[in-house]
């Protein structure tokens, strides 16, 4: 049996500032047993991740975009 969850958040402020964050997790119960070391469920997986981005958009006097 395994579980999985994901979350995404995006925010835009005055068309100048953008923020995005995502997070997730995953678990899978292992099913492989090793007879040599007497271990069970040796392929169990537990993973977590987090990612964030920030973008600021500023218009230059000539209309040039800087990111």
């Amino acid at each position: 049996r395994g579980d999985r969850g994901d979350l995404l958040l995006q925010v835009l402020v005055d068309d100048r500032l953008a923020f995005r964050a995502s997070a997730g997790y995953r678990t899978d119960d292992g099913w492989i047993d090793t007879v040599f070391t007497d271990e069970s469920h040796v392929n169990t997986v537990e993973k977590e991740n987090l990612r964030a981005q920030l973008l600021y958009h500023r218009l230059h006097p000539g209309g040039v975009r800087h990111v």
Side-chain angles (χ1 to χ4, degrees):
R1 178 176 174 343
D3 295 311
R4 181 182 179 139
D6 296 300
L7 174 69
L8 175 66
L9 172 68
Q10 297 184 68
V11 178
L12 181 63
V13 179
D14 295 329
D15 292 331
R16 301 189 82 172
L17 183 66
F19 176 74
R20 175 188 294 176
S22 62
Y25 74 92
R26 176 181 153 217
T27 61
D28 286 322
D29 294 337
W31 51 271
I32 295 177
D33 298 336
T34 304
V35 296
F36 299 109
T37 60
D38 199 29
E39 292 179 89
S40 59
H41 309 292
V42 295
N43 63 326
T44 300
V45 174
E46 294 183 16
K47 293 184 178 185
E48 298 175 351
N49 64 68
L50 177 63
R51 180 179 176 176
Q53 295 175 317
L54 182 65
L55 173 67
Y56 175 68
H57 178 258
R58 179 176 68 111
L59 288 179
H60 223 276
V64 177
R65 180 179 177 196
H66 293 274
V67 179

